[in-house]
Amino acid sequence: MDEAIPLRLLADVTDALKAGRGWEGSLHRLAELLVEQLADWCVIDLLDQRDRARRVVVAGRETGPDSPRPGESSRLLPPWPQHSAAPLAQALRRGAAVLIPDVPPPERAADPLERAQLELLARLGANTAIAAPLDVGGRPFGVIIVTRSKASRPFTEAQVALIGNIAHQGALVVENARLYHQQRDIATYLQRSLLPDTLPAVPPFGLAARYHPARTYAEVGGDWYDAIVLPDGTFTVAVGDVAGHDVRATARMSQLRHMLRALILDRPGPPDDVVRRLDQALENLHEPDVTATLVFAVVRPSVAGPSSITWANAGHPPPLLVPAHGPARFLSGGRGLPLGVDSGVPREVAASEPLTAGSLFLLYTDGLVERRGEDLSAGLERLGREAVSLRDLAPDRFLEELVERVAPAREDDIAVLALCHAASASC
């Protein structure tokens, strides 16, 4: 082992932990780096909420038939008494890295945890070891153990501080990643709770909608969808996006969705008129810097001829019409400014299209088609192409496959709604 590598190792560890692999991936990469540059084996044990230890990482050099395989499955470790001499217990008790200069045989263990750890170290061929706590703010949540065999230069006190520093860096990154995932789960739950639980049944049409949170941040957002049936037999669909990625955007999203519902049920009218009234209602809230985009559409089913859909677009990406045969078309009519910009500017009259059997009408937010460093036209072209290739699928399956193909990275929130005019019972 090269003893002149601490600075390079610290730099490599820092770069690896910044790579955003998630807390599990960060731990595995940390163990791999320690094995590559400093140790023969690395073991990482984490504590659960009941302070039980579980082995989650084993990484190292295979030295014999009894050596654990790198990536060996996790294992719950035995409980231990307060004064256990097990490496894990020593590191947790002292709150600092500890050197085991001469690893004892398992037969000398005084408690179940010490025996389990010494048995593992024996399998690793460990002659010396260092155990360091993963600790944030005085709250330990795991331990890193690195070992060297008799064939390697033994660990000494000179490496203890280095391993302790690396463990501290790893603990900060892992804890932040764990908190991020917790916050992301809470944010996603909040967002989903403000969207409709179910969509109405509107035969002969099939309706499906999905909300997908971004994979790159934990904040809630303003993407939404809705569909309601009106007393005269028509029904409405809408997809919108309130600017921002925070709780305020989510609150405004919920407020906007319910205001639209109230306006529709109170006085149904042409979509452009409904959107105009919604814009005025939003302006009367006197909330500065609240803007939103929206496509609101009214569907008129017909048994005597083609059904039709009429829509108004408030600064939103254009709806996509996918016929049963032939190319898809983006629908550009019925446009106007986003909500919250200037309610006094007139809006275009709502646009209409026939809906023939087998056709599909798609609404979506910009997260589906926008990618960093790419022109929007490329995203729209990709969406049209993939929608055509998937149009024979039922709406639920269509949306799942479409989002996976068009926006696999999920750089932004996505709300998407598909309305299919049944050509068969599967729609």
Side-chain angles (χ1 to χ4, degrees):
M1 294 282 179
D2 182 0
E3 301 300 343
I5 60 173
L7 290 179
R8 187 177 77 237
L9 175 59
L10 283 171
D12 289 347
V13 166
T14 300
D15 291 341
L17 294 177
K18 288 180 179 178
R21 296 179 175 86
W23 68 268
E24 293 171 314
S26 295
L27 284 179
H28 280 276
R29 184 55 186 147
L30 175 59
E32 291 169 356
L33 282 171
L34 287 168
V35 168
E36 288 171 8
Q37 301 191 34
L38 197 68
D40 292 324
W41 284 88
C42 178
V43 179
I44 301 180
D45 302 325
L46 295 185
L47 304 180
D48 63 18
Q49 294 181 342
R50 297 167 60 183
D51 285 336
R52 297 177 303 181
R54 182 177 295 277
R55 184 175 304 147
V56 297
V57 177
V58 177
R61 313 170 195 278
E62 295 191 60
T63 57
D66 294 331
S67 299
R69 296 186 305 275
E72 188 176 86
S73 59
S74 65
R75 173 188 170 191
L76 187 65
L77 299 178
W80 63 91
Q82 182 177 0
H83 298 291
S84 172
L88 178 147
Q90 289 189 55
L92 292 176
R93 190 165 56 247
R94 298 185 188 182
V98 295
L99 174 69
I100 296 92
D102 187 10
V103 176
E107 295 78 24
R108 290 173 51 187
D111 61 76
L113 176 66
E114 186 180 12
R115 172 172 289 276
Q117 291 210 298
L118 293 182
E119 285 176 349
L120 175 63
L121 296 183
R123 290 177 64 195
L124 303 181
N127 185 43
T128 59
I130 296 174
L134 292 164
D135 180 289
V136 176
R139 294 178 292 104
F141 61 86
V143 170
I144 292 178
I145 302 174
V146 291
T147 73
R148 285 181 178 176
S149 66
K150 291 180 180 179
S152 302
R153 185 179 302 178
F155 280 126
T156 67
E157 289 289 346
Q159 291 87 43
V160 172
L162 173 63
I163 298 300
N165 287 335
I166 290 173
H168 180 65
Q169 286 188 60
L172 290 173
V173 172
V174 169
E175 184 67 5
N176 286 339
R178 293 170 77 177
L179 289 173
Y180 163 82
H181 283 286
Q182 291 175 7
Q183 292 169 355
R184 186 171 183 272
D185 289 344
I186 293 171
T188 301
Y189 175 80
L190 173 61
Q191 178 81 4
R192 292 188 192 281
S193 70
L194 297 174
L195 296 173
D197 291 330
T198 59
L199 296 176
V202 287
F205 295 90
L207 265 180
R210 293 289 186 274
Y211 168 74
H212 294 280
R215 288 173 170 165
T216 53
Y217 51 82
E219 294 91 346
V220 290
D223 294 42
W224 61 279
Y225 60 83
D226 205 357
I228 60 173
V229 178
L230 301 179
D232 63 358
T234 62
F235 65 93
T236 71
V237 292
V239 165
D241 186 3
V242 177
H245 291 101
D246 53 24
V247 173
R248 184 167 177 258
T250 302
R252 291 292 169 259
M253 174 272 288
S254 179
Q255 192 173 30
L256 192 69
R257 184 172 77 86
H258 286 92
M259 285 196 314
L260 177 60
R261 282 192 157 212
L263 291 172
I264 298 166
L265 294 172
D266 175 62
R267 195 172 81 227
D272 53 301
D273 180 62
V274 173
V275 171
R276 178 186 57 80
R277 290 156 52 206
L278 178 63
D279 198 9
Q280 291 174 341
L282 181 64
E283 184 179 63
N284 289 333
L285 291 176
H286 301 296
E287 291 284 352
D289 303 324
V290 177
T291 59
T293 63
L294 165 73
V295 172
F296 168 65
V298 177
V299 182
R300 302 185 184 282
S302 174
V303 293
S307 300
S308 67
I309 187 164
T310 304
W311 72 92
N313 186 332
H316 201 76
L320 179 66
L321 182 65
V322 185
H325 306 285
R329 290 189 295 120
F330 288 99
L331 306 177
S332 59
R335 295 194 65 84
L337 291 175
L339 303 173
V341 175
D342 187 347
S343 65
V345 175
R347 295 185 174 275
E348 284 186 17
V349 175
S352 294
E353 280 281 342
L355 286 177
T356 56
S359 62
L360 185 143
F361 184 80
L362 183 72
L363 299 177
Y364 54 94
T365 54
D366 56 10
L368 184 65
V369 291
E370 289 186 347
R371 291 186 184 179
R372 291 187 183 92
E374 179 184 80
D375 190 82
L376 178 60
S377 61
L380 293 173
E381 181 183 351
R382 181 167 50 248
L383 173 60
R385 182 177 63 250
E386 296 297 346
V388 167
S389 72
L390 298 169
R391 62 183 159 195
D392 292 332
L393 299 178
D396 283 301
R397 180 75 185 281
F398 172 85
L399 290 185
E400 293 294 341
E401 291 289 333
L402 185 71
V403 172
E404 202 57 44
R405 292 190 187 187
V406 177
R410 311 255 180 92
E411 296 176 352
D412 196 0
D413 291 8
I414 296 170
V416 60
L417 181 146
L419 167 68
C420 174
H421 191 312
S424 66
S426 65
C427 185

